Amino acid sequence: MATAPAWTPAEPLIRIADVHKAFGAVTVLSGVSLEVMKGEVICVIGPSGSGKSTLLRCINALVPIEKGSIQVEGQEVNDPKLDKLALRRKVGMVFQQYNLFPHKTALQNVMMAPVHVLREDKAEVEARARRLLKKVRLEGKEASYPGELSGGQQQRVAIARSLAMNPDVMLFDEVTAALDPETVKEVLVTIRELAEEGMTCLIVTHEMGFAREVAGHIYFTDRGVIVEHGPPKEFFANARDPRTQQFLSQIL
Amino acid sequence: MGAGHAHSRILAGVIANRSDLPVVLPFRLGAGTGAAGAWRPGPPHAVALAIALAVFVVVGDAQAAPGTPSILTTLLKWTPLLATGFLLNIAISFIAMAAGTVAGTFLGLMQISLLAPVRGVAWFFTQFFRNAPWLVLLFYCMLLLPFELQIGGTVIPLPAWMKATAGLALAVMANVSELVRGAVQSIPFGQWEASEALAFSRRQTLWMIILPQCVKRMLPPWMNLYAILVVGTALASIVGVNESMTLTGDILAAENRTELLVPMYLYLLLWFFAYCYPIARATVSLERRFQVR
Ligand SMILES: Nc1ncnc2c1ncn2[C@@H]1O[C@H](COP(=O)(O)OP(=O)(O)OP(=O)(O)O)[C@@H](O)[C@H]1O
Ligand SMILES: [Mg+2]
């Protein structure tokens, strides 16, 4: 396929088909398939080590895959000729450990990539960054360094930083796992608002209540495969696979 | 693609190098206490030095033949000459530090290159020059460098002190190279990952995100290296540079008084101490400040 047909929003924004990935002798993904439509919110749950983070990293081409296919807006991510910059400005990613740049203020953190990667006008970017910080309820914290912010505040800066690239889809990798119980909520509220505004989201989470509320579809992974998936109501009410049942009984 | 390899390698590096922060090998005398190679003079050192000088001055004056000028007046008489020699020590240390830092930064960045051959070559040069005794490097530069360089039509003379500076710069380069490598690898992997996810190129990540964070971590050991270098400039006397150590020898030969020997060298030591002590104190306080955050 020399020229891929132009992607239309009627097709999945992310199409993952039979993806395999191993780190040396450790097989992490063995045949994962998953689709995300534009505007959809997907939650991925599963035990530790089941390959959830790896899956998200593959979507962003942070980690190459061995077999299968990942398409983002019709673009094959595994294509050696892939324009990674183009892919990564489409796909925003937020990490468990925030990974803010500690030597930059909150505002600078949000502004850096649009200014230096997209080479956009600095004044325009600054206006957008301030708007985004306000949106994640961090007005007044523009000049604070990450070290001066709480975990929940840092994570919201990280979300704003990702949004500043105007992505088409956001990947969240257990973004509340490192937070105090009190601050978890403020981050989840931010994500829910994004979802309600129509942002396409692929969320890895351990917060079952949140997943039930916000997700249109839930996937359960274990040992590198999708064991089961479905709309939240069905998924939580009558999980069929014993592995899902066991996981849910442990966590709920 | 190589991205995966790079990740696991950087990760491995982070783990492997936690305890492998830069050390200055030729001067690692008091290893075991605190940071290896760290030169940490304190007030007790100053007091001990002053007492030793006083004792030798008093004892020396008592032993001196009647009619000879006192040791203190002799020290004062030679102070201007000693100062010119000491200025050369400082000049050598400045130039060697500047050149060594620039070269060492690039060598250190080569050590974390994605290209294995580049990494290998950089590693070899770093290890070679870091583990060679400084004096050996000095002799090499003395013997291998010509006494003048001809670039185009202009002839640039290379006096002994310049060659000695080059030798010391090599040692600084190797130590700074390790400093840079260690600092880069001590930055959490998440910083690379977040930058990559934001579409920064590797070069941008390095220069805009990783290295600025490294500067803070590198400053104290870099200052420590400088203090050690200043002391090390005295080695240049062995290869015949007219710095303060050589001049002290000349002065002693001219005076030809045995009781002057120890006070004279103690006096010179005091000069070095007075210069390095504030640097060492600043290093310690910087280290404390950075630890708090
Ligand atoms: N860069 C890497 N090199 C080697 N092994 C890796 C690497 N990254 C992940 N792994 C391994 O892959 C497996 C899956 O890891 P992954 O982080 O994707 O799991 P996870 O589902 O996100 O788990 P958690 O819920 O704990 O975050 C683990 O066994 C992990 O040790
Ligand atoms: Mg994970």
Side-chain angles (χ1 to χ4, degrees):
Chain A
M1 38 168 248
T3 45
W7 174 81
T8 64
E11 300 162 43
L13 201 158
I14 298 178
R15 175 183 281 160
I16 299 171
D18 194 33
V19 164
H20 290 249
K21 171 72 197 171
F23 290 107
V26 187
T27 304
V28 180
L29 301 175
S30 32
V32 171
S33 300
L34 183 159
E35 290 184 352
V36 186
M37 301 298 292
K38 185 170 164 41
E40 225 182 352
V41 177
I42 302 288
C43 282
V44 178
I45 61 174
S48 185
S50 58
K52 307 181 296 294
S53 300
T54 306
L55 182 65
L56 293 196
R57 288 191 171 98
C58 290
I59 296 172
N60 213 353
L62 290 175
V63 167
I65 62 174
E66 271 124 42
K67 192 176 153 224
S69 143
I70 298 179
Q71 287 182 7
V72 175
E73 296 187 353
Q75 268 282 324
E76 183 62 51
V77 168
N78 215 22
D79 186 345
K81 294 195 297 285
L82 167 84
D83 179 359
K84 283 193 184 166
L85 193 149
L87 172 74
R88 287 174 184 154
R89 61 184 292 184
K90 271 188 255 175
V91 183
M93 187 158 181
V94 185
F95 303 88
Q96 181 175 337
Q97 297 298 339
Y98 341 128
N99 296 341
L100 291 182
F101 306 133
H103 60 302
K104 299 279 179 184
T105 63
L107 186 68
Q108 289 169 335
N109 262 278
V110 178
M111 288 177 62
M112 258 183 108
V115 169
H116 295 289
V117 176
L118 305 181
R119 308 207 176 279
E120 292 180 347
D121 178 65
K122 207 167 170 185
E124 249 167 61
V125 172
E126 180 170 340
R128 186 162 84 225
R130 288 186 186 279
R131 214 164 50 235
L132 284 168
L133 284 173
K134 191 170 166 188
K135 183 186 166 85
V136 299
R137 298 195 178 77
L138 285 173
E139 215 176 0
K141 296 289 183 190
E142 290 85 356
S144 303
Y145 284 89
E148 302 162 349
L149 297 173
S150 76
Q153 291 172 330
Q154 289 190 56
Q155 193 59 288
R156 283 179 285 149
V157 174
I159 293 173
R161 179 175 72 172
S162 220
L163 290 174
M165 297 287 275
N166 285 326
D168 293 343
V169 53
M170 289 284 285
L171 311 178
F172 295 93
D173 189 4
E174 295 190 39
V175 293
T176 57
L179 298 178
D180 304 330
E182 311 93 72
T183 51
V184 166
K185 212 173 145 216
E186 63 192 43
V187 173
L188 292 184
V189 164
T190 302
I191 299 176
R192 184 189 304 141
E193 281 172 3
L194 272 180
E196 281 164 4
E197 285 166 19
M199 172 62 78
T200 311
C201 297
L202 183 49
I203 305 170
V204 171
T205 185
H206 281 163
E207 301 283 336
M208 293 305 139
F210 173 72
R212 191 201 300 256
E213 243 177 83
V214 78
H217 212 84
I218 294 189
Y219 285 80
F220 173 70
T221 62
D222 189 19
R223 285 176 227 156
V225 293
I226 306 266
V227 175
E228 192 162 355
H229 63 95
K233 266 211 196 96
E234 258 171 63
F235 180 87
F236 285 108
N238 34 25
R240 280 158 309 206
D241 195 282
R243 278 187 281 180
T244 321
Q245 288 165 356
Q246 200 206 350
F247 179 77
L248 290 177
S249 70
Q250 277 169 359
I251 219 156
L252 290 178
Chain B
M1 265 187 149
H5 294 282
H7 288 178
S8 39
R9 209 192 57 248
I10 292 169
L11 267 184
V14 168
I15 295 158
N17 290 296
R18 269 285 144 80
S19 60
D20 186 23
L21 280 169
V23 292
V24 181
L25 288 171
F27 283 82
R28 195 160 57 181
L29 297 172
T33 53
W39 191 73
R40 289 292 134 81
H45 294 91
V47 173
L49 194 54
I51 291 176
L53 186 57
V55 166
F56 277 97
V57 166
V58 171
V59 172
D61 275 338
Q63 287 174 342
T68 48
S70 81
I71 292 180
L72 272 184
T73 42
T74 316
L75 291 185
L76 281 180
K77 184 178 83 182
W78 292 110
T79 293
L81 182 63
L82 215 52
T84 58
F86 194 71
L87 273 181
L88 184 56
N89 287 79
I90 303 306
I92 291 174
S93 75
F94 265 54
I95 299 169
M97 197 65 191
T101 299
V102 171
T105 301
F106 283 99
L107 196 60
L109 292 179
M110 283 167 67
Q111 278 205 86
I112 51 165
S113 161
L114 289 180
L115 303 171
V118 175
R119 235 167 31 235
V121 167
W123 177 85
F124 175 80
F125 277 102
T126 301
Q127 292 304 318
F128 181 83
F129 289 116
R130 204 163 80 102
N131 289 297
W134 290 20
L135 197 51
V136 174
L137 293 179
L138 283 183
F139 271 113
Y140 266 122
C141 283
M142 283 318 215
L143 299 175
L144 294 182
L145 291 178
F147 67 95
E148 58 179 31
L149 270 182
Q150 205 158 1
I151 301 172
T154 50
V155 176
I156 303 167
L158 278 184
W161 73 267
M162 261 194 203
K163 294 199 226 173
T165 306
L168 292 171
L170 285 177
V172 171
M173 172 191 77
N175 280 286
V176 169
S177 169
E178 275 300 86
L179 228 77
V180 170
R181 184 189 62 81
V184 167
Q185 289 180 337
S186 75
I187 301 293
F189 175 65
Q191 294 288 309
W192 287 94
E193 195 169 42
S195 312
E196 210 178 342
L198 287 169
F200 283 102
S201 69
R202 188 181 155 83
R203 172 171 299 203
Q204 282 177 320
T205 304
L206 198 57
W207 287 97
M208 296 170 62
I209 291 148
I210 305 298
L211 287 179
Q213 296 181 54
C214 288
V215 169
K216 208 166 107 170
R217 288 166 200 238
M218 285 182 350
L219 197 57
W222 183 80
M223 284 163 61
N224 189 56
L225 176 64
Y226 178 67
I228 291 167
L229 171 67
V230 170
V231 177
T233 55
L235 289 173
S237 68
I238 301 175
V239 292
V241 176
N242 269 333
E243 47 70 72
S244 57
M245 187 79 176
T246 309
L247 290 180
T248 304
D250 293 350
I251 292 166
L252 286 169
E255 287 282 343
N256 198 17
R257 286 166 59 190
T258 42
E259 74 273 13
L260 215 54
L261 186 81
V262 175
M264 201 71 208
Y265 278 116
L266 278 177
Y267 184 51
L268 178 62
L269 189 54
L270 206 60
W271 277 75
F272 278 99
F273 187 87
Y275 185 78
C276 292
Y277 183 75
I279 299 171
R281 297 313 297 174
T283 309
V284 171
S285 75
L286 270 183
E287 261 172 7
R288 284 218 191 94
R289 241 203 18 241
F290 292 166
Q291 256 166 17
V292 173
R293 284 201 78 183

